[in-house]
Amino acid sequence: MGQAKQKAKLLDVWKSGLSGDEMVLFDAAYKLHNNVIKSRNATGMCYHSVFFLYLHLKEKHGIDSSPVIAYVNDGTDDIFISHAWLEFNGKRTDVSLAVTDPRIGVAGQLIILDRVFKAGHEYGYFREIPEVGLKKNEELCLSGMRTLLERKEKEHHAMLKRVGDDSAIRAYLDAEPNGFNFEKIASLL
């Protein structure tokens, strides 16, 4: 059996162990990554993609998942970057980190329900910035990056406030300046 057939068989075995809700999430996340993020080389979509996926699953399928606004670290330094992913049944789904601007960071893995679907750099996921990251932020502030760090932290807190408020999430999605709102993304799945 060829390698492609072996991979397909392993995927089928994995999918056969999913619940109905997990299968719906898998399908939506996979299409969101391939039809929206990857096909458009859309970088910086972590908040947008997670909020969309959360609302789509809830409104269209009655599936309650959790958008997580937290931090990632690439393991090469002590800088922790605000990031978003979705959790369902204790499993992480991250469809945006696999497509990044190479000037900002290396592309990560495509993860759906804790399974890696596309190889990439293995990032660490953190709910809070650990002490080494806080110290690094202090150093960066002293080196002239205070304005940037304050802007990013303000953005992080604004995203955190939206979690748990579906109308605020919808307003965020529908205010997308390029018309890439909830309905437009839904039409591409």
Side-chain angles (χ1 to χ4, degrees):
M1 185 181 311
Q3 189 176 5
K5 285 185 180 182
Q6 287 177 336
K7 281 185 177 183
K9 184 174 177 143
L10 288 174
L11 178 59
D12 287 342
V13 169
W14 178 80
K15 286 168 53 175
S16 71
L18 297 179
S19 70
D21 287 350
E22 288 173 330
M23 193 60 204
V24 169
L25 187 153
F26 164 77
D27 186 57
Y30 196 77
K31 287 178 180 174
L32 177 60
H33 174 75
N34 286 311
N35 298 353
V36 177
I37 297 169
K38 181 181 172 187
S39 67
R40 289 167 172 69
N41 197 34
T43 63
M45 283 201 55
C46 67
Y47 306 130
H48 207 81
S49 63
V50 165
F51 285 152
F52 168 80
L53 192 54
Y54 161 77
L55 273 187
H56 174 75
L57 292 169
K58 185 174 185 178
E59 292 178 359
K60 186 170 182 183
H61 302 284
I63 298 172
D64 195 23
S65 59
S66 300
V68 176
I69 308 298
Y71 300 91
V72 292
N73 173 272
D74 69 5
T76 64
D77 55 32
D78 293 328
I79 297 173
F80 292 76
I81 299 169
S82 181
H83 187 62
W85 62 86
L86 191 79
E87 289 186 356
F88 180 72
N89 289 344
K91 297 175 185 173
R92 178 183 308 123
T93 295
D94 186 348
V95 298
S96 67
L97 198 55
V99 178
T100 59
D101 182 335
R103 295 171 296 173
I104 296 172
V106 63
Q109 301 167 321
L110 169 62
I111 302 169
I112 303 175
L113 295 166
D114 280 348
R115 187 174 197 271
V116 175
F117 283 88
K118 177 183 174 275
H121 186 78
E122 189 173 340
Y123 280 76
Y125 289 79
F126 299 84
R127 297 287 180 150
E128 300 290 333
I129 299 176
E131 188 63 34
V132 295
L134 295 174
K135 286 181 181 178
K136 184 64 173 182
N137 283 355
E138 289 174 17
E139 289 175 25
L140 292 171
C141 283
L142 294 173
S143 72
M145 297 189 71
R146 178 178 303 281
T147 303
L148 174 64
L149 287 170
E150 287 175 349
R151 184 175 45 112
K152 292 306 289 176
E153 197 59 24
K154 183 178 177 182
E155 177 186 58
H156 179 87
H157 286 290
M159 296 303 156
L160 270 175
K161 284 183 177 181
R162 289 181 173 93
V163 173
D165 184 346
D166 292 358
S167 62
I169 290 173
R170 174 68 78 156
Y172 168 76
L173 291 170
D174 288 342
E176 205 283 325
N178 300 310
F180 219 53
N181 61 18
F182 181 90
E183 297 305 324
K184 175 68 175 176
I185 295 173
S187 74
L188 297 170
L189 296 192

